[in-house]
Amino acid sequence: MEHHHKLSMIKTRYYLFLALSIFLLGACGEKKNKVEPEKQENPNVLFIAVDDLNNMLGVLDGHSGTKTPNIDRLAARGVVFSDAHCQAPLCGPSRASLMTGLRPSTTGIYGMIDDNKIRSENPSTKDIIMLPEYFKQNGYHTMGIGKLFHSHAPDGIFEESGGRVKGFGPLPEERFVWDGYGSSDRENYGKTSTDWGAFPEADSLMPDHRSVDWAKARMNKKYDKPFFIGVGFLRVHVPLYVPQKWFDLHPLDSIRTMPYRADDLNDVPPVALQINDLPMMPSTDWAIESGEWPKIIQAYLACISFVDHEIGRLLDALENSEHADNTVIVLWSDHGYRLGEKGTFAKHALWNTATKTPLLFAAPNLPNGKIIDQPAELLSIYPTLLELCGLPAYDRNEGKSLVPLMKGEGVAPSIAITTFGMNNHTVKSERFRYIRYEDGGEEFYDHRNDPNEFMNQAKNPKYSEEIRRLKEYLPEDNAAWDANSSYTFQPYFVAQKARTSGSEEKVVNGIGAPQ
């Protein structure tokens, strides 16, 4: 009996122990198998700016014989906007607009401006959060090198700054072809850096090459937070100097010049002619008579090939790093560049070849190899990057995110607005371009029938309804010139600022704004 009782007690304890063990194991298993929501890491950003690059890219251009294998391979893994436009056809105001997310007509930054004075007493910009800052405030480690704003960047805007080599060198002891003044009156016009030729001997002597080295070193590091790294290339800005090997890719006998008509500007308003008054630049007629036109285009293409190679080095470094699958890339240029179209070699205009600029996004959640032909604005870069990186929208942005359009989710037909000086605007739709100048002068072009913008149709009643529709997009508010912004390169902008803002400026020592 006593033995039976002890056996019963042992069994009871055993079953209690077994039940407790099963309960504990179940609890542990439940805890182990419970799926905790993963913390989604924000992707990194590689922000690539190329100075003065027009749309002569292999993925887009069927005319020039351009060679851009690295930009093309980036395009194959992303989305390209074939009809993107700057907000100003001049580097200073274009970059200030992109980085603040505000239109030039909102800020009054129509000309060049010191990076540190973008945010000043100007009521529109005094408390604006600039694009790299917004990423920093949202937990990113920010780095930048080269030409990102007009010079480099406002002081302290990057946690790590590689700075920028001043100017657009290296330079030979003497210019090869163009003296920088042309036929201009040196008291009233600035000096351009424009020249072309093979120089220096090696890529390693180019500041852009060293910028890529700097960026590569940083992309190979580990970070405890996502990073934003900006790389601003100086080429293809004039002077069109790169080593000889890049010229060799583009033999002179393969170069084709651009469509041109000597009477092209006979039907444009007076303000258009004043803006296009650029005697310090080579004229198309001079380039034809001298035989230099193919050589200028060859040099421009050589510079594109050089920059493309450096972008390839940057992409290789990213692809070989641990960040390859979690980085958003944007590649853009601050405006287009005319290579003889409309009479000169410059940006400085509200016509298509001056406002049109490359724009390309690649990201883990975007389509591959997609080309979008609807107009887009550089102003959209800021809100698009925020959406791609899962950051909250910034309510001060005047551009709209391009993510829905890139993902094919459907948006209303797009337009792009470019401004050059106070109250001079162009509105670009898919088919048409409308230009309105400060004195009421107008231009209108139908790109389906006239892609070179040879025939101003502003007075053609056939297009009155289209003109009326595009007029509705003109900015209603046109801020006076920001006191810290000016453009002394040629007389029109000096006079306009004086007329509209009551300030007087002049070209200093015949140099004007850097070109």
Side-chain angles (χ1 to χ4, degrees):
M1 188 79 172
E2 184 177 332
H3 174 76
H4 178 74
H5 177 70
K6 286 183 178 178
L7 187 61
S8 178
M9 289 286 292
I10 291 170
K11 285 183 177 180
T12 301
R13 288 173 184 171
Y14 171 77
Y15 287 125
L16 283 173
F17 174 78
L18 185 62
L20 181 62
S21 298
I22 291 171
F23 173 79
L24 290 174
L25 284 170
C28 290
E30 182 181 357
K31 185 174 182 180
K32 182 177 180 181
N33 294 326
K34 185 177 180 181
V35 178
E36 298 288 343
E38 287 188 16
K39 184 179 179 182
Q40 180 65 43
E41 183 182 355
N42 301 106
N44 307 303
V45 176
L46 176 57
F47 185 83
I48 305 172
V50 185
D51 206 354
D52 283 24
L53 176 63
N54 64 22
N55 265 26
M56 295 169 77
L57 307 178
V59 67
L60 295 177
D61 183 78
H63 165 78
S64 65
T66 189
K67 293 179 174 64
T68 55
N70 295 294
I71 295 176
D72 295 350
R73 71 173 159 121
L74 178 58
R77 51 174 287 205
V79 181
V80 179
F81 287 87
S82 66
D83 197 26
H85 296 268
C86 61
Q87 271 47 77
L90 185 67
C91 46
S94 174
R95 291 165 185 262
S97 173
L98 190 159
M99 292 294 196
T100 61
L102 302 174
R103 298 190 183 279
S105 52
T106 299
T107 64
I109 299 175
Y110 301 116
M112 300 304 192
I113 191 166
D114 186 297
D115 294 345
N116 288 314
K117 293 183 178 179
I118 293 173
R119 193 164 43 207
S120 59
E121 65 277 6
N122 185 321
S124 297
T125 61
K126 64 181 181 182
D127 60 350
I128 200 73
I129 303 171
M130 297 186 206
L131 191 157
E133 288 178 311
Y134 197 89
F135 278 86
K136 180 180 178 180
Q137 291 182 13
N138 281 273
Y140 277 67
H141 178 60
T142 59
M143 301 169 279
I145 189 168
K147 187 176 179 183
L148 295 164
F149 290 72
H150 176 229
S151 293
H152 165 57
D155 294 342
I157 206 162
F158 291 113
E159 292 170 280
E160 288 186 60
S161 169
R164 173 197 162 178
V165 175
K166 286 187 177 181
F168 296 93
L171 306 174
E173 291 184 10
E174 294 183 2
R175 289 176 178 243
F176 295 125
V177 185
W178 194 252
D179 69 356
Y181 293 107
S183 61
S184 67
D185 167 5
R186 298 187 185 192
E187 291 185 5
N188 293 304
Y189 293 85
K191 183 180 182 182
T192 174
S193 300
T194 301
D195 194 25
W196 50 96
F199 185 85
E201 291 186 1
D203 292 349
S204 59
L205 300 173
M206 302 291 288
D208 288 337
H209 187 86
R210 297 194 289 273
S211 291
V212 171
D213 288 345
W214 186 92
K216 284 176 61 177
R218 279 146 187 83
M219 285 193 293
N220 285 327
K221 293 182 179 179
K222 292 181 181 291
Y223 298 92
D224 59 3
K225 58 173 72 172
F227 65 75
F228 176 106
I229 184 163
V231 182
F233 291 96
L234 299 179
R235 290 292 177 270
V236 281
H237 195 290
V238 293
L240 302 176
Y241 297 157
V242 285
Q244 180 66 49
K245 65 180 179 179
W246 303 112
F247 282 77
D248 293 341
L249 289 178
H250 304 279
L252 266 178
D253 60 8
S254 71
I255 302 298
R256 286 184 287 165
T257 55
M258 306 308 184
Y260 172 65
R261 283 176 43 168
D263 64 350
D264 189 11
L265 301 183
N266 289 353
D267 60 358
V268 303
V271 174
L273 296 176
Q274 292 177 55
I275 290 174
N276 200 47
D277 177 25
L278 301 164
M280 74 295 287
M281 301 293 195
S283 71
T284 309
D285 289 340
W286 174 87
I288 293 170
E289 293 166 7
S290 66
E292 290 290 327
W293 196 357
K295 296 176 185 177
I296 299 173
I297 295 175
Q298 179 195 37
Y300 189 85
L301 291 172
C303 290
I304 291 177
S305 291
F306 162 74
V307 168
D308 179 80
H309 171 72
E310 294 299 338
I311 290 171
R313 295 180 63 228
L314 201 57
L315 296 178
D316 288 345
L318 177 62
E319 289 166 7
N320 293 325
S321 76
E322 64 181 58
H323 313 294
D325 298 325
N326 192 35
T327 298
V328 172
I329 304 172
V330 60
L331 186 151
W332 56 276
S333 179
D334 44 4
H335 40 67
Y337 200 82
R338 295 184 282 159
L339 291 168
E341 300 96 336
K342 302 267 182 204
T344 195
F345 296 80
K347 47 258 189 178
H348 305 94
L350 291 173
W351 298 308
N352 205 53
T353 47
T355 71
K356 198 170 184 178
T357 176
L359 178 59
L360 191 162
F361 291 92
N365 57 345
L366 287 179
N368 295 332
K370 185 173 184 177
I371 297 178
I372 295 177
D373 295 325
Q374 288 179 261
E377 299 182 310
L378 293 185
L379 200 64
S380 290
I381 290 176
Y382 196 153
T384 300
L385 286 180
L386 298 188
E387 184 168 353
L388 288 174
C389 293
L391 300 183
Y394 181 33
D395 60 7
R396 298 282 295 277
N397 281 166
E398 292 186 317
K400 63 180 180 180
S401 171
L402 297 170
V403 172
L405 186 57
M406 289 191 285
K407 290 186 174 181
E409 296 172 358
V411 293
S414 311
I415 57 95
I417 301 168
T418 304
T419 299
F420 199 22
M422 184 177 176
N423 217 3
N424 299 318
H425 308 287
T426 181
V427 181
K428 175 65 175 62
S429 68
E430 277 195 81
R431 178 176 169 181
F432 303 107
R433 173 178 294 279
Y434 172 67
I435 303 175
R436 169 76 177 265
Y437 295 100
E438 61 169 327
D439 64 353
E442 296 176 306
E443 295 177 56
F444 184 84
Y445 301 100
D446 181 346
H447 281 209
R448 182 179 297 170
N449 302 318
D450 181 21
N452 299 307
E453 299 183 339
F454 286 144
M455 302 296 295
N456 180 9
Q457 304 282 356
K459 296 179 180 179
N460 186 341
K462 171 185 173 183
Y463 294 106
S464 58
E465 179 57 27
E466 287 295 339
I467 291 173
R468 184 202 63 76
R469 187 179 70 84
L470 294 183
K471 271 185 179 180
E472 294 178 357
Y473 291 99
L474 293 171
E476 293 182 5
D477 298 321
N478 289 274
W481 278 74
D482 182 299
N484 297 304
S485 177
S486 62
Y487 196 50
T488 59
F489 194 57
Q490 50 97 286
Y492 168 76
F493 293 101
V494 175
Q496 191 197 50
K497 183 174 181 180
R499 277 189 287 106
T500 59
S501 303
S503 60
E504 292 191 12
E505 295 170 300
K506 61 182 180 179
V507 175
V508 180
N509 297 326
I511 296 174
Q515 287 298 308

